[in-house]
């Protein structure tokens, strides 16, 4: 929301010396967010000049310039070169003299051009920041101005004004207006506030003809309207409300006749709208936008003579279409709320009007609409048609019901004053303004929930200041919120308002003391431990989006059913992930494209694994704010998919860089298995691997990971062909483990390994087994048979060739034996080794290699 300071001063007593930073600071104190400062970026001298004479001078490039003599209120006229052709002798214009600065910044100086020394510049509307017009210079007569020559043009045109921009949170739609910001500035500083809605003289109000009376018969000219009766009866006919809320609760109309649409918008209005971020279009449209910014009530102005019959506010019918003001023909959805006449739609309610009833240069009679629409309905239509607008932004956040009539009256006043129109004596209204329900506020509730000490007078004064009606009761207060604050619904909202108005600085900054016996849960500690171990060993943690495309679903692991989002952020990725690896691949692709070719990434996150029954369940929610029943809540819980936590890693590039005497070592299966070992160590577990085939991974370089007999994940290398398709190097190592399952299987307490103080006995053993027997199976059997003295065993060689029978292989393991209470003898170590060999022979048919 942009707030021109001159406009703000009309409704609140802000000092003339108020600086932008001071205004921002005041608004921040009452909870608004500082954004930016805006101005026209002009520096004088910029004055009113009058063209005394000019000579057209054709140029060799085909362009004709004018060498002008311009009176700027000095003793002698100035010679100025101008390329525009839209002025005549005697026109008063805006002249930027040498030393002035235009937005850019673009300093003006006397310079030689086209054979003359141009002593200044005659400015266009765009150069001054008053609009987009740049085909000709700004003629002050077009703005209805006839100032004295030499007058300072900046205050004349409102170009010396500035505006602050603040961010308005969705619950405070009332602040999307000068009226709302002025009220907030008053809260912050104590300055006197004058409500502009109360300054409008109200006309006599009559019920709409749709309430029972009939419109007067039309005169002989088709489309003419009589002033003595309701010129356009309005009917509210929403037969398909969203969430039980009627699409339109209030519809106010006002008629202004005999307007002159060719009259110019005054310069002060153009300047204020420009600072507010809205460009000038035409006088009638500018007035409706001006009142919207001033009071917060979106308006729409119809060409009264283009409306056929009465107005009906209803939902769209299947197959209906409308051409909107931007000249786009749009297909309408049955959920769209429409403004219609006897010939069809004339506007999408609260979003954009229709072209058929648009105001034009031939418009003479104007119908002003000030309505109140359901926020949800407007938000959905604006998004459905991709038509965000200043009006829809306000309706989505809630508009003050009580300001509709004053806004229509204010627009009528301006049309009379600036367009020469004549306003009908009556305002017509359909719908009612319902009274707000009182909220019970217990006496000590504010202090208990805010944690500060606010006195009773402070509570009452704060709530009264925001416009609430406060009545003392036996146990506290009864508070009726103002019409412009639909966000105030319960006692907690009122407590927040007291803290905001009195001042957030009254809330003490006290660090709460955690109760004894609390802290991280076991699962939280273990998850952190896993992440810390991987990070400490050189992996970088990433956080990928949980949304994936259909091809990504089947890249790795088992192809599973996935949840498709009804309203995805990205239409190309509408599914919730069933694996972490697609996100790691995307992160790797991004880093590779930026020249980072050696990567070690991991992610700890959730995946979404629905079963068929959960996908089939569709639970209907009750309308509005009605609480779901226990049965509905249970059904909702049953429909929620499983969301286990997983840990995944991806390694590519060189794990050891090439250097003198050391060739580069490329990432591979060993690095994926090393990441698995890191996770196992962090959890105090022993994980084993077995050869396996996993979708998307190399069939000969992939392992399933087990805890005992329970599979907990996999590790391996990506298929080279798939890696190339994904624009990755040929060798990419990955692993993914079910961390939720591992946490269930891990020991309740992870014990640390004491530092050994006694020497170890090292040996090795070579065992011959059939090719089909995996090294993991041999190692598991050997480890179980060797007993507690075996501290560590590691595969160091897999030999197949001469000296070994065809169909067999020789597996060599490095062994380390140690006893906790004594130094082992060689005989004891050999005895433990042979026990392991016996176990491997029994389980795997292994024999010691000669």
């Amino acid at each position: 929301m942009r707030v021109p300071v001159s406009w703000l001063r009309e409704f609140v007593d802000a000092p003339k010396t108020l600086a932008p930073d001071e205004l921002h600071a005041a608004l921040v104190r009452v909870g608004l967010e500082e954004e930016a400062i805006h101005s026209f970026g002009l520096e004088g001298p910029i004055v009113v000049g009058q063209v005394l004479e000019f000579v057209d001078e054709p140029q060799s490039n085909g362009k004709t310039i004018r060498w002008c003599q311009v009176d700027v209120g000095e003793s002698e006229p100035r010679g100025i070169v101008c390329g525009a052709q839209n002025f005549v002798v005697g026109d008063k214009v805006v002249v930027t003299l040498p030393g002035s600065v235009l937005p850019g910044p673009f300093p003006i100086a006397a310079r030689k051009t086209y054979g003359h020394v141009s002593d200044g510049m005659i400015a266009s509307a765009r150069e001054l920041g008053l609009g987009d017009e740049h085909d000709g210079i700004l003629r002050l007569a077009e703005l209805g101005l006839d100032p004295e020559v030499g007058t300072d043009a900046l205050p004349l045109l409102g170009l010396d004004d500035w505006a602050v921009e603040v961010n308005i949170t969705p619950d405070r739609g009332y602040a999307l207006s000068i009226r709302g910001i002025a009220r907030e500035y008053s809260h912050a500083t104590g300055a006197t506030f004058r409500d502009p809605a109360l300054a409008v003289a109200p006309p006599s109000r009559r019920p709409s003809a749709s309430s029972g009376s009939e419109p007067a018969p039309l005169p002989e000219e088709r489309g003419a309207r009589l002033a003595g009766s309701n010129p356009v009866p309005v009917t509210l006919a929403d037969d398909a409300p969203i969430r039980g809320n009627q699409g339109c609760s209030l519809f106010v109309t006002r008629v202004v006749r005999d307007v002159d649409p060719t009259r110019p918008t005054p310069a002060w209005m153009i300047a204020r709208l420009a600072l507010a971020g809205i460009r000038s279009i035409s006088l009638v449209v500018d007035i409706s936008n001006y009142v919207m910014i001033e009071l917060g009530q979106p308006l729409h102005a119809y060409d009264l003579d283009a409306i056929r019959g009465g107005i009906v506010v209803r939902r769209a019918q299947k197959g209906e279409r409308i051409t909107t003001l931007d000249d786009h023909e749009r297909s309408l959805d049955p959920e769209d709320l429409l403004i219609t006449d006897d010939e069809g739609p004339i506007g999408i309610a609260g979003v954009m009007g229709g072209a058929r009833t648009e105001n034009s240069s031939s418009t003479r009679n104007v119908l002003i609409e000030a309505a109140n629409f359901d926020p949800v309905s407007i938000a959905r239509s604006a998004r459905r048609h991709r038509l965000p607008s200043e009006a829809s932004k306000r309706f989505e956040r809630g508009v003050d019901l009580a300001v509709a009539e004053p806004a229509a009256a204010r627009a009528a006043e301006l049309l009379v004053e600036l367009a020469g129109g004549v306003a009908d004596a009556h305002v017509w209204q359909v719908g009612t303004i319902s009274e707000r329900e009182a909220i019970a506020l217990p006496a000590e509730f504010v202090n208990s929930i805010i944690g500060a000490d606010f006195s009773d007078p402070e509570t009452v004064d704060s709530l009264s200041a925001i416009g609430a009606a406060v009545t003392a009761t036996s146990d506290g207060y009864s508070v009726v919120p103002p019409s412009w604050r639909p966000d105030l619904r319960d006692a907690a909202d009122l407590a927040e308002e007291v803290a905001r108005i009195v001042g957030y600085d009254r809330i003490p900054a006290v660090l709460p003391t955690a109760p004894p016996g609390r802290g991280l849960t076991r699962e939280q500690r273990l998850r952190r431990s896993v992440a810390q171990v991987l990070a400490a060993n050189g992996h970088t943690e990433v956080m990928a989006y949980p949304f994936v495309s259909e091809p990504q679903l089947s890249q790795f692991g088992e192809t599973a059913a996935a949840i498709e989002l009804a309203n995805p952020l990205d239409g190309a990725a509408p599914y919730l992930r069933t694996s972490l690896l697609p996100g790691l691949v995307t992160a790797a692709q991004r880093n590779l494209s930026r020249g980072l070719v050696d990567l070690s990434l991991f992610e700890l996150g959730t995946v979404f694994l629905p079963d068929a029954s959960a996908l089939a369940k569709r639970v209907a929610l009750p309308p509005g704010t009605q609480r779901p029943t226990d049965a509905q809540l249970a059904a909702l819980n049953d429909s929620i998919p499983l969301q286990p936590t997983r840990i995944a890693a991806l390694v590519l590039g060189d794990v050891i860089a090439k250097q003198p005497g050391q060739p580069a070592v490329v990432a591979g299966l060993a690095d994926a298995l090393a990441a698995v070992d890191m996770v196992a160590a962090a959890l105090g577990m022993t994980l084993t691997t077995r050869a396996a085939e996993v979708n998307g991974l190399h069939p000969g370089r992939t392992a399933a990971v087990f805890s005992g007999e329970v599979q907990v994940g996999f590790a391996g290398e990506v298929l080279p062909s798939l890696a190339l398709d994904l624009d990755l190097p040929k060798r990419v190592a990955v692993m993914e483990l079910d961390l939720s399952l591992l946490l269930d299987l891990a020991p309740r307490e992870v014990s640390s390994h004491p530092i050994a103080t006694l020497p170890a006995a090292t040996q090795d053993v070579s065992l011959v087994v059939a090719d089909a027997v995996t090294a993991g199976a041999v190692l598991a059997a050997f480890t179980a048979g060797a007993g507690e003295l075996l501290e560590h065993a590691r595969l160091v060689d897999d030999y197949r060739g001469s000296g070994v029978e065809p169909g067999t292989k020789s597996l060599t393991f490095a062994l380390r034996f140690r006893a906790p209470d004594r130094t082992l003898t060689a005989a004891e170590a050999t005895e433990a080794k042979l026990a392991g060999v016996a176990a491997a022979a029994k389980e795997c048919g292994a024999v010691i290699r000669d």
Side-chain angles (χ1 to χ4, degrees):
M1 173 69 189
R2 296 185 179 186
V3 186
V5 69
S6 65
W7 206 345
L8 182 72
R9 287 194 180 104
E10 291 187 5
F11 310 130
V12 68
D13 292 338
K16 292 184 179 180
T17 58
L18 181 67
D21 289 343
E22 294 172 331
L23 178 52
H24 260 151
L27 297 177
V28 166
R29 283 200 297 274
V30 288
L32 300 177
E33 298 178 12
E34 174 184 343
E35 287 289 334
I37 298 171
H38 301 275
S39 69
F40 288 99
L42 300 169
E43 297 179 15
I46 300 176
V47 301
V48 173
Q50 186 171 29
V51 180
L52 301 178
E53 62 178 86
F54 61 81
V55 178
D56 286 332
E57 297 182 357
Q59 304 297 309
S60 59
N61 60 4
K63 181 179 180 180
T64 298
I65 61 100
R66 286 180 172 180
W67 171 239
C68 309
Q69 298 299 313
V70 183
D71 180 8
V72 293
E74 300 172 338
S75 57
E76 296 291 333
R78 292 192 180 233
I80 298 176
V81 173
C82 184
Q85 310 291 314
N86 68 322
F87 60 93
V88 297
V89 170
D91 275 348
K92 291 185 177 179
V93 296
V94 177
V95 180
T96 58
L97 299 177
S100 62
V101 179
L102 296 182
F106 180 65
I108 302 299
R111 64 189 184 93
K112 186 171 183 179
T113 179
Y114 294 108
H116 303 282
V117 175
S118 184
D119 201 14
M121 187 181 78
I122 305 175
S124 69
R126 190 171 75 177
E127 288 162 340
L128 296 172
L130 287 176
D132 298 328
E133 180 61 43
H134 194 57
D135 293 336
I137 55 96
L138 177 65
R139 299 168 59 237
L140 294 178
E142 294 178 345
L143 300 178
L145 298 174
D146 187 20
E148 184 179 344
V149 171
T151 300
D152 188 346
L154 295 183
L156 174 72
L157 299 176
L159 300 176
D160 58 344
D161 203 1
W162 50 265
V164 297
E165 184 175 356
V166 290
N167 182 38
I168 307 299
T169 53
D171 61 326
R172 299 174 69 182
Y174 69 94
L176 287 171
S177 65
I178 303 299
R179 178 196 186 205
I181 295 295
R183 192 187 303 274
E184 291 301 301
Y185 181 81
S186 173
H187 296 334
T189 64
T192 302
F193 168 69
R194 297 173 294 278
D195 192 343
L198 302 179
V200 182
S204 62
R205 183 191 306 165
R206 291 188 177 183
S208 167
S210 67
S211 301
S213 61
E214 294 295 330
L218 297 179
E220 66 281 357
E221 182 181 349
R222 188 169 87 95
R225 307 285 183 175
L226 292 178
S229 64
N230 186 355
V232 183
V234 177
T235 302
L236 305 183
D238 181 8
D239 57 357
I242 297 177
R243 290 185 168 183
N245 298 323
Q246 288 293 323
C248 179
S249 56
L250 184 70
F251 202 99
V252 175
T253 57
R254 189 80 190 274
V255 172
V256 180
R257 304 174 187 277
D258 299 324
V259 299
D260 181 359
T262 63
R263 286 196 184 185
T265 301
W268 58 267
M269 183 177 285
I270 295 176
R272 284 185 173 180
L273 288 174
L275 278 178
I278 297 177
R279 65 184 180 90
S280 175
I281 297 174
S282 67
L283 179 58
V284 174
V285 175
D286 290 349
I287 287 174
S288 64
N289 284 334
Y290 186 86
V291 174
M292 175 183 67
I293 298 297
E294 183 172 87
L295 298 179
Q297 169 67 58
L299 301 176
H300 189 72
Y302 299 91
D303 185 334
L304 177 63
D305 300 322
I307 298 176
R308 303 291 174 249
I311 283 178
V312 178
V313 184
R314 60 170 175 81
R315 298 289 171 179
Q317 298 170 1
K318 187 175 181 179
E320 272 192 302
R321 303 178 70 84
I322 184 176
T323 300
T324 46
L325 291 174
D326 56 1
D327 291 327
H328 281 76
E329 185 179 20
R330 302 179 185 276
S331 297
L332 297 171
D333 187 274
E335 203 178 63
D336 288 327
L337 189 68
L338 302 181
I339 312 299
T340 68
D341 65 4
D342 290 354
E343 293 186 1
I346 58 174
I348 303 175
V351 178
M352 184 173 284
R356 179 161 60 84
T357 54
E358 179 182 9
N359 287 276
S360 66
S361 58
S362 62
T363 298
R364 291 295 177 266
N365 302 312
V366 175
L367 176 73
I368 302 167
E369 166 210 303
N372 197 285
F373 300 113
D374 173 48
V376 174
S377 180
I378 301 309
R380 290 184 180 181
S381 289
R383 285 158 179 73
R384 183 181 300 114
H385 296 286
R386 293 179 173 84
L387 277 177
S389 64
E390 291 294 328
S392 65
K393 180 166 66 175
R394 286 163 174 80
F395 281 126
E396 289 173 22
R397 289 160 173 77
V399 172
D400 182 5
L401 275 165
V403 84
E405 185 177 322
R410 174 65 167 149
E413 281 183 358
L414 291 172
L415 284 171
V416 170
E417 176 186 348
L418 304 177
V422 178
D424 280 6
H426 309 299
V427 59
W428 302 90
Q429 175 180 312
V430 182
T432 58
I433 302 175
S434 58
E435 296 292 334
R436 296 291 302 275
E437 293 184 3
I439 300 172
L441 182 65
E444 293 300 320
F445 181 81
V446 174
N447 291 344
S448 65
I449 196 170
I450 299 297
D453 187 15
F454 298 108
S455 66
D456 290 345
E458 285 177 326
T459 299
V460 173
D461 292 345
S462 299
L463 296 176
S464 299
I466 66 171
V470 184
T471 304
T473 63
S474 59
D475 59 349
Y477 304 97
S478 174
V479 182
V480 179
S483 59
W484 57 86
R485 294 298 303 272
D487 58 306
L488 302 181
R489 300 176 182 177
D490 54 35
D493 295 333
L494 299 178
E496 182 182 352
E497 287 301 295
V498 173
R500 187 174 70 87
I501 300 302
V502 175
Y504 292 127
D505 55 349
R506 285 279 297 276
I507 303 174
V510 178
L511 185 65
T513 302
R518 301 292 179 87
L520 297 177
T521 65
R522 169 182 175 272
E523 288 73 17
Q524 290 172 328
R525 291 197 305 271
L526 292 178
R527 282 197 295 266
R528 290 191 180 189
S529 177
V530 167
Q532 289 168 355
V533 167
L534 287 171
N537 281 275
H539 293 72
T540 300
E541 185 172 9
V542 299
M543 295 180 66
Y545 284 115
F547 314 115
V548 294
S549 64
E550 188 170 0
Q552 287 177 305
L553 285 174
S554 57
Q555 280 178 353
F556 303 102
E558 296 182 3
T559 303
I563 295 177
E564 184 175 4
L565 300 174
N567 186 25
L569 294 176
D570 182 357
Y575 297 96
L576 291 175
R577 66 188 178 188
T578 57
S579 168
L580 300 182
L581 292 182
L584 289 176
V585 167
T586 300
Q589 291 169 332
R590 182 179 295 273
N591 282 275
L592 285 169
S593 69
R594 285 157 175 74
L596 302 176
V597 296
D598 301 323
L599 299 173
S600 228
L601 309 176
F602 80 94
E603 181 177 9
L604 192 157
T606 55
V607 295
F608 307 86
L609 305 175
D611 56 28
S613 61
L615 283 177
K617 293 177 181 176
R618 294 292 183 267
V619 182
L621 294 176
T625 58
Q626 181 180 338
R627 185 183 186 279
T629 64
D630 291 342
Q632 288 174 320
L633 290 174
L636 282 170
N637 286 330
D638 290 342
S639 68
I640 296 175
L642 295 175
Q643 299 175 49
T645 301
R646 290 191 178 177
I647 183 75
L650 178 148
V651 187
L652 58 80
D654 294 340
V655 292
I656 298 179
K658 181 180 179 181
Q659 51 193 303
Q662 170 67 58
V665 177
V666 181
L669 174 61
D671 300 287
L673 295 175
V676 171
D677 291 339
M678 295 173 198
V679 173
L683 298 177
M685 302 178 68
T686 299
L687 300 180
T688 59
T689 57
R690 304 174 191 175
E693 292 189 7
V694 176
N695 180 49
L697 301 188
H698 193 299
R701 303 188 65 79
T702 299
V705 180
F706 287 82
S707 174
E709 295 301 317
V710 179
Q711 183 173 349
V712 294
F714 59 85
E717 294 180 10
V718 177
L719 274 172
S721 58
L722 177 58
L724 294 177
D725 290 341
L726 295 172
D727 296 322
L728 300 177
K730 191 174 181 180
R731 291 186 68 179
V732 179
V734 296
M735 74 85 175
E736 184 167 13
L737 302 176
D738 187 334
L739 189 56
S740 293
L741 181 56
L742 286 172
L743 295 180
D744 291 338
L745 298 173
R748 301 308 299 174
E749 295 295 334
V750 179
S751 58
S752 58
H753 296 284
I755 298 175
T757 58
L758 296 171
T762 58
Q763 297 188 16
D764 53 23
V765 63
S766 295
L767 301 176
V768 178
V769 294
D771 284 343
V773 178
T774 64
V778 176
L779 180 59
F782 183 91
T783 302
E788 295 181 354
L789 294 180
L790 178 62
E791 183 180 78
H792 181 70
R794 178 170 60 91
L795 177 69
V796 295
D797 187 41
D798 182 338
Y799 176 75
R800 310 174 196 216
S802 60
V804 177
E805 293 292 331
T808 63
K809 58 187 176 183
S810 173
L811 302 176
T812 301
F813 297 92
L815 310 174
R816 184 171 69 236
F817 298 92
R818 194 192 312 265
D821 56 352
R822 67 188 188 280
T823 300
L824 285 180
T825 64
E828 289 177 307
T830 301
E831 182 181 355
K833 179 181 75 172
L834 293 176
V837 171
K842 180 179 178 181
E843 297 292 334
C844 306
V847 296
I848 296 180
R849 182 181 174 189
D850 294 335

